[in-house]
Amino acid sequence: MSIADIFDDAQKSGINHRSLTKRLHKLEAKYEAQNKHSDFEEEIKDYVLRCLEVTKSERAGQNIVKFVCTYCAFEQSQISEKEEQDGDDEEDTNSVTSQILIMLLPHTAAKDKVLRYRATQIVSQLMGIVQEIEDELYQAIRHELTKRIRDKVPAIRLEAVCALGRLLENEMDQEAQAAQEKSRNSEDEEMLDDDDYEELESASLLDKLLDVLQNDTNADVRKALLLNLPIEPKTLPYLLERARDKDAAVRRVMYAKLMPNLGDFRHLSMSMREKLLRWGLRDRDERVRKAAAKMFSTLWIEQVAKTNAQTETQINEGIVPSIEGGEPQQPKKKHIGFYNADIPALLELLERVDVINCGQEDGAGQEAMSEFWNLRPDYVQAVVIDDTFLAELSPESAFMARTFYDFCARNPEQHLIALEENKLPEVTRFGFHLQTCLNNVLNMQALSEDEVEEEAIQEAEFICEQLLHIAHTLDYTDEIGRRKMFESLRRVIAMHDLPEEITKLAIEALRLTCTSDIAGEKEFIAVVQEAIAEVQDVLTEDKSSSTNEDNGTNREHSPADDESFVSAQSELSTRSDATARPVETQAELRTKNMTPEEAEAYHLKEVLIQLKCLNIAHTLLQNITSDFSSNISLDTMINTLIIPALHNQQAALRERAIECLGLACLLSPALERANRSVFVYCMRKGHDELRISCLKILCDCITTHHTKSTDTDNGQAAEQVDLSPFVKAFGYSAEVQTVATTCVAKLMMCGFYKPKIAPVEANQEDEEEEGGEKVVDVFEQAIEAATEAGTKGYELLTKVKAALVADARGKEQIEEPRRQS
């Protein structure tokens, strides 16, 4: 069989390439015996050149490339065996592989893209085969391939970066050696001229490939570099950055393939671990989310479990690692499958991802653990939350218990199994543990900064938050447990020293302990208002105790003494300075006999107490649905707490008060109509944060209480929507403009905008003859005003309008204009 016959068979199929390689090698031996090896090389190069003109889609060209690479790999193995037998380390510069590379290099810069692609492809694959190569040929190949990473054809760039990725390891070793030599010869730096320095700086292949990894427009090129670049401290940030790549396939490869090759995840920084979880679990592509969940649930947990299992095995076998050394250990068998469920390993994993930060509402810890319980049923079976577990809570174990309760709440069958196996404690016992944790927080806050660390307080508060989250998922059909939780939560709400988040969670849990009917809601409102009164009484108690200690004398009784901070009355219709004046008078009377330092501390505490009360009221209004007409005590809370806070000079109090008033207006249409001007005034006179809050409140009130245009018979709203506050907001800062345009777009999409088609000129003349008045839609005016002013986000309004018009056309809700006769 001749060389032509061998190449003819090789292009048909890739199955018989090995046998054809042996035949070609025998022919090469015959040519060498006849001293015609150069003829053999020329014939081989001739057939390789013929395949360069074959397009990428042709299967024959791909088969020839594979055959050439198979033969060159066989030749390299033969050369290595010969060198081992003869003991000769000299490079064989006349090998067929080297000759093919030399022949292909000029074609990598050809004008024809097919020639460039095939030449670059063969060179790229041959560079993964050769073991030794001349320095001059290496530099020439490196130079040509470096130029190809900027080629306009993505397939050529892909082959070039694959080849350069194979060369990079050697390149990095050379750079390390050069850096060492430079450090050793730092005293002789003047011996190197400027040209040498420029050559060293421009020769950094890694920097060029990293630039391609960041900026190449083709996803396959970035993916190839992601897999071929070595994992080094310098390259690791660039590799992990691909978790935010614009292409979903690249992001999935980063989680599915790069992370297993990375090794132990504990080498990463804690912030990077948290970012990888957040980016992956919240990705818009489902496959990326699955890859990130698998990384957390299988790769990371198994790495921790492996370390714990090896440590436990060494302890059981009596093997203690020694620095001085000892007898060499026997190689252990590779573990197959998952390690046994190890709860300490899970707790260590949660500690490694900083669960205190990522376990918050905006963190990715909850999503990670939700996927973890779904993917690891062995750990679900291993969890046992009993009294011993709750008595020794840590931030990690508390978070694990909270996510496990959430998992059981989403899966009723699993919840029944956990109850049958006594994995979950009773509600009564849980209430005792919750009270113990709350007392621990209060005790820590009572200590000075020298006696307790801030980190310990943060951990104790986090544990309480997780237990309160668990309280949201408990079954309160047990009356004894319900009463225990009710009393514990009632006391928690009245504690003014507790953080706002704990108080909020306690109020939400308290609502669950009450019945869902009207009577239960009235009980809930009464308990929360009692807690507000107890919190406000802290100021009165502090002042009375300080007065008795400092003065020791009785002063004349004043009518203001009979009124506490919560006893001021005012009607909803009257919001004048008379509401604020009694509060200011009481404050002046209380601070009359105090030193300036004591008065300042008292005013600060008063602001904090009022802010605490407003936060409680805010959470209360978020968790009720009844109208104010059915509960007069809510009116009292508005008059004595929220409205006075609106007149306060503290910005934080005004912001929280306006939010509370907005929630109240959502529950009462009459209250919304009476206080609409308040929101408009605060929007005009307040700062940007207050303006944004007012705009959102006005939008929500319109959405809740106003009648949509499609709800009436004639297609017009009973009360026209007032968009003047939103239009005025177009003249404020960019953040306010964005919120204003978003609110208008929301109202349009909620059905308050009735799309119309602009009539033709004939129709306009008919309307004028009939004497009809042209009705201008307020939304049309708002869109026109936003467009003319160039408001930030005005494009959203035009897009929403176009979408609504198109949707109405499709549903035949708009009359088509009459045709001109």
Side-chain angles (χ1 to χ4, degrees):
M1 180 178 286
S2 63
I3 298 177
D5 296 334
I6 292 175
F7 272 86
D8 183 61
D9 291 344
Q11 72 178 349
K12 296 177 182 178
S13 175
I15 300 176
N16 57 347
H17 280 181
R18 288 186 177 274
S19 61
L20 294 176
T21 298
K22 294 180 180 179
R23 292 182 181 181
L24 186 60
H25 182 65
K26 291 180 181 179
L27 288 176
E28 182 182 7
K30 291 182 180 180
Y31 275 88
E32 288 181 354
Q34 300 175 3
N35 295 326
K36 296 182 178 180
H37 191 269
S38 59
D39 297 338
F40 176 81
E41 292 179 353
E42 291 297 329
E43 194 169 354
I44 293 293
K45 290 190 291 184
D46 179 60
Y47 290 117
V48 172
L49 285 174
R50 293 184 182 184
C51 77
L52 295 182
E53 299 179 355
V54 182
T55 59
K56 181 181 179 182
S57 59
E58 290 291 337
R59 185 67 181 175
Q62 190 67 21
N63 290 334
I64 291 296
V65 173
K66 289 182 179 180
F67 175 70
V68 172
C69 294
T70 303
Y71 178 74
C72 291
F74 182 80
E75 183 193 32
Q76 292 294 315
S77 63
Q78 294 295 323
I79 294 175
S80 300
E81 292 178 0
K82 184 178 179 180
E83 290 178 353
E84 291 178 359
Q85 293 176 0
D86 299 342
D88 187 8
D89 295 338
E90 295 182 0
E91 300 177 0
D92 188 3
T93 58
N94 295 322
S95 64
V96 176
T97 305
S98 300
Q99 295 299 320
I100 293 176
L101 288 173
I102 295 173
M103 180 266 297
L104 290 176
L105 280 182
H107 297 282
T108 58
K111 292 183 178 180
D112 189 1
K113 63 180 181 180
V114 177
L115 294 178
R116 293 201 314 273
Y117 169 71
R118 285 297 181 188
T120 308
Q121 181 190 26
I122 298 175
V123 171
S124 173
Q125 298 192 17
L126 290 181
M127 290 306 296
I129 296 172
V130 295
Q131 299 176 356
E132 295 180 353
I133 194 173
E134 293 180 348
D135 292 339
E136 295 181 359
L137 180 59
Y138 173 83
Q139 294 296 334
I141 293 174
R142 179 184 179 280
H143 177 70
E144 294 296 332
L145 291 178
T146 304
K147 293 192 296 184
R148 290 308 101 210
I149 63 177
R150 303 299 182 186
D151 199 280
K152 62 181 180 180
V153 181
I156 299 176
R157 300 201 303 270
L158 176 61
E159 297 294 339
V161 296
C162 290
L164 292 174
R166 300 184 181 101
L167 302 178
L168 185 59
E169 184 177 356
N170 183 35
E171 187 82 10
M172 295 182 68
D173 293 340
Q174 292 180 358
E175 288 182 359
Q177 295 177 0
Q180 292 178 358
E181 293 179 358
K182 183 179 179 181
S183 61
R184 293 174 183 173
N185 302 327
S186 58
E187 298 179 357
D188 301 332
E189 287 185 355
E190 58 271 8
M191 297 177 61
L192 298 176
D193 54 8
D194 296 338
D195 295 336
D196 295 333
Y197 282 115
E198 292 178 359
E199 181 179 359
L200 290 175
E201 292 177 359
S202 62
S204 178
L205 179 60
L206 177 60
D207 293 338
K208 297 179 181 179
L209 293 180
L210 291 177
D211 182 69
V212 174
L213 177 64
Q214 286 184 305
N215 303 312
D216 197 281
T217 57
N218 187 264
D220 293 333
V221 176
R222 300 195 301 272
K223 187 193 305 182
L225 277 176
L226 187 64
L227 296 176
N228 290 324
L229 286 176
I231 301 176
E232 300 288 341
K234 184 178 181 180
T235 62
L236 186 59
Y238 297 92
L239 297 176
L240 298 179
E241 188 184 32
R242 290 304 96 198
R244 303 295 287 170
D245 195 276
K246 64 180 181 181
D247 187 78
V250 179
R251 301 195 300 269
R252 182 167 57 86
V253 166
M254 206 288 301
Y255 283 101
K257 296 184 179 181
L258 178 66
M259 293 307 298
N261 297 334
L262 180 62
D264 199 325
F265 77 99
R266 286 169 284 193
H267 296 303
L268 300 175
S269 63
M270 191 170 292
S271 61
M272 181 53 67
R273 301 171 204 161
E274 192 271 336
K275 288 180 181 179
L276 288 175
L277 283 179
R278 185 175 71 252
W279 293 342
L281 295 175
R282 296 179 180 178
D283 196 275
R284 59 181 176 272
D285 189 84
E286 183 179 2
R287 296 177 299 175
V288 179
R289 295 196 298 269
K290 289 182 178 180
K294 186 177 180 181
M295 177 194 69
F296 179 81
S297 305
T298 59
L299 180 63
W300 287 7
I301 185 62
E302 289 303 306
Q303 290 175 354
V304 181
K306 177 182 178 181
T307 304
N308 292 355
Q310 291 177 352
T311 303
E312 184 179 358
T313 303
Q314 292 178 358
I315 294 175
N316 294 335
E317 295 177 358
I319 301 175
V320 180
S322 177
I323 301 178
E324 299 177 358
E327 297 181 358
Q329 300 181 8
Q330 297 294 331
K332 298 182 180 180
K333 297 182 179 180
K334 184 177 180 180
H335 184 81
I336 301 176
F338 291 155
Y339 288 89
N340 295 330
D342 188 5
I343 299 301
L346 178 57
L347 298 180
E348 181 181 349
L349 174 61
L350 294 177
E351 182 182 2
R352 297 287 185 177
V353 298
D354 193 12
V355 71
I356 295 182
N357 292 324
C358 74
Q360 301 295 338
E361 293 302 321
D362 56 343
Q366 299 180 41
E367 302 166 14
M369 289 303 296
S370 176
E371 297 292 341
F372 180 87
W373 297 123
N374 290 327
L375 296 176
R376 299 303 299 267
D378 52 339
Y379 276 85
V380 175
Q381 297 295 329
V383 171
V384 176
I385 303 176
D386 51 9
D387 291 339
T388 304
F389 182 89
L390 294 176
E392 301 174 353
L393 282 177
S394 64
E396 293 77 22
S397 59
F399 182 75
M400 186 199 74
R402 178 257 180 105
T403 56
F404 183 75
Y405 269 91
D406 292 341
F407 172 74
C408 293
R410 293 192 302 269
N411 300 272
E413 297 181 359
Q414 183 60 42
H415 186 262
L416 293 176
I417 295 174
L419 291 176
E420 292 176 358
E421 297 178 357
N422 296 324
K423 291 185 175 182
L424 302 178
E426 298 177 354
V427 179
T428 306
R429 295 182 179 178
F430 183 84
F432 283 109
H433 291 290
L434 175 61
Q435 188 62 46
T436 301
C437 293
L438 291 171
N439 294 336
N440 186 26
V441 173
L442 292 175
N443 294 335
M444 286 186 176
Q445 290 181 346
L447 299 176
S448 61
E449 297 181 356
D450 298 335
E451 296 175 342
V452 62
E453 297 181 357
E454 183 179 356
E455 183 178 357
I457 298 177
Q458 184 180 5
E459 292 179 356
E461 293 176 355
F462 181 80
I463 293 174
C464 288
E465 292 176 6
Q466 303 311 305
L467 293 182
L468 288 172
H469 279 291
I470 294 175
H472 294 171
T473 61
L474 296 178
D475 184 9
Y476 293 107
T477 55
D478 180 12
E479 183 62 21
I480 298 178
R482 188 195 71 82
R483 291 180 180 178
K484 173 60 181 175
M485 289 296 297
F486 182 85
E487 292 298 327
S488 299
L489 295 172
R490 185 185 64 82
R491 289 194 295 268
V492 170
I493 298 172
M495 297 178 183
H496 69 280
D497 294 335
L498 289 178
E500 177 184 350
E501 185 65 22
I502 294 179
T503 304
K504 177 183 177 181
L505 294 173
I507 295 174
E508 293 174 352
L510 180 66
R511 182 65 188 92
L512 298 175
T513 60
C514 302
T515 57
S516 58
D517 54 3
I518 298 178
E521 188 168 285
K522 287 184 178 180
E523 181 186 14
F524 168 69
I525 294 173
V527 172
V528 175
Q529 287 185 335
E530 289 178 2
I532 293 176
E534 292 182 15
V535 173
Q536 290 173 331
D537 289 341
V538 174
L539 292 175
T540 306
E541 294 174 0
D542 292 347
K543 176 56 184 172
S544 60
S545 60
S546 62
T547 303
N548 294 334
E549 292 177 0
D550 296 340
N551 298 334
T553 58
N554 296 328
R555 57 182 176 85
E556 185 179 356
H557 182 76
S558 173
D561 297 335
D562 296 333
E563 297 179 352
S564 64
F565 177 73
V566 297
S567 62
Q569 300 292 327
S570 62
E571 297 296 333
L572 292 176
S573 58
T574 59
R575 291 181 302 276
S576 61
D577 293 340
T579 305
R581 191 174 296 113
V583 178
E584 294 177 357
T585 304
Q586 292 173 18
E588 292 176 357
L589 292 174
R590 289 172 180 170
T591 59
K592 183 176 180 181
N593 298 323
M594 292 183 181
T595 62
E597 292 78 8
E598 293 176 348
E600 183 179 0
Y602 179 82
H603 285 306
L604 177 60
K605 186 171 184 178
E606 185 179 19
V607 171
L608 295 177
I609 292 297
Q610 293 183 30
L611 187 60
K612 178 74 173 182
C613 295
L614 289 173
N615 291 332
I616 296 175
H618 186 271
T619 309
L620 168 66
L621 294 171
Q622 286 179 326
N623 290 274
I624 60 176
T625 58
S626 60
D627 194 354
F628 276 44
S629 59
S630 60
N631 199 321
I632 303 177
S633 60
L634 293 176
D635 288 339
T636 305
M637 184 181 68
I638 296 293
N639 297 332
T640 60
L641 178 62
I642 298 177
I643 292 180
L646 289 174
H647 299 277
N648 200 289
Q649 298 298 324
Q650 295 293 331
L653 292 177
R654 294 199 304 271
E655 292 177 11
R656 182 58 69 174
I658 202 68
E659 293 178 2
C660 293
L661 185 60
L663 291 172
C665 291
L666 293 178
L667 299 173
S668 175
L671 190 63
E672 186 268 334
R673 289 190 295 270
N675 292 276
R676 191 181 305 169
S677 59
V678 176
F679 302 122
V680 176
Y681 178 81
C682 293
M683 200 244 347
R684 289 191 292 108
K685 298 296 183 180
H687 49 281
D688 287 348
E689 289 77 8
L690 191 61
R691 288 170 178 167
I692 291 174
S693 299
C694 293
L695 288 173
K696 292 180 179 179
I697 291 171
L698 290 172
C699 179
D700 293 339
C701 290
I702 294 174
T703 307
T704 305
H705 299 305
H706 286 238
T707 306
K708 300 179 183 179
S709 61
T710 57
D711 294 340
T712 56
D713 297 334
N714 57 359
Q716 296 295 330
E719 183 181 356
Q720 192 176 23
V721 177
D722 183 16
L723 297 182
S724 57
F726 304 98
V727 175
K728 292 179 180 178
F730 293 161
Y732 296 129
S733 63
E735 292 79 7
V736 180
Q737 293 177 8
T738 303
V739 175
T741 53
T742 304
C743 291
V744 174
K746 178 181 177 181
L747 294 175
M748 294 174 64
M749 298 182 67
C750 287
F752 293 95
Y753 169 67
K754 184 179 180 181
K756 299 179 182 179
I757 297 178
V760 295
E761 296 180 358
N763 294 336
Q764 293 178 354
E765 294 176 357
D766 295 341
E767 289 181 0
E768 293 176 358
E769 292 177 358
E770 295 174 359
E773 296 181 359
K774 184 178 179 180
V775 179
V776 180
D777 192 275
V778 291
F779 287 96
E780 298 287 350
Q781 293 179 340
I783 295 173
E784 183 179 357
T787 305
E788 292 179 355
T791 305
K792 185 176 182 180
Y794 75 93
E795 302 91 347
L796 177 64
L797 298 179
T798 56
K799 291 179 180 179
V800 170
K801 176 184 176 181
L804 293 176
V805 171
D807 183 66
R809 285 183 184 275
K811 295 180 180 180
E812 297 182 355
Q813 293 181 353
I814 300 178
E815 294 183 5
E816 296 294 336
R818 290 175 293 178
R819 298 181 179 178
Q820 297 181 2
S821 57

